[in-house]
Amino acid sequence: MDILIFTTSVEKPEQVSEVKPLLTSVPAITGWNFDLEDCDNILRIEAHDVSPRYIETLLQTAGYHCRELEY
């Protein structure tokens, strides 16, 4: 399993609700959460064989900035 961490422009719980259907529709994603208290509005994803670019594109199509953080 991979852990992917992203900085996003998702800032409010209502916005999390908007992207929830996108993230839950990907069978390879086994878990995800946002840390809206963090200055980077962190999205943490647990998944099997999911490209970070795929997640970035998924959120960008919904109108949100998303960029993988290297760790």
Side-chain angles (χ1 to χ4, degrees):
M1 176 168 19
D2 298 316
I3 305 290
L4 305 172
I5 300 175
F6 302 88
T7 178
T8 75
S9 62
V10 175
E11 299 176 338
K12 301 174 185 170
E14 301 83 37
Q15 295 172 322
V16 173
S17 296
E18 288 178 24
V19 299
K20 180 180 180 177
L22 298 174
L23 297 171
T24 57
S25 71
V26 181
I29 295 177
T30 59
W32 61 272
N33 63 40
F34 279 93
D35 181 357
L36 302 181
E37 299 293 318
D38 187 276
C39 65
D40 289 321
N41 300 313
I42 297 295
L43 168 60
R44 180 180 178 271
I45 292 183
E46 298 172 21
H48 297 281
D49 298 321
V50 173
S51 160
R53 301 303 149 272
Y54 176 77
I55 301 298
E56 291 170 351
T57 302
L58 192 65
L59 263 70
Q60 288 168 359
T61 59
Y64 296 101
H65 168 79
C66 180
R67 181 178 50 85
E68 183 182 25
L69 290 177
E70 300 296 330
Y71 59 95

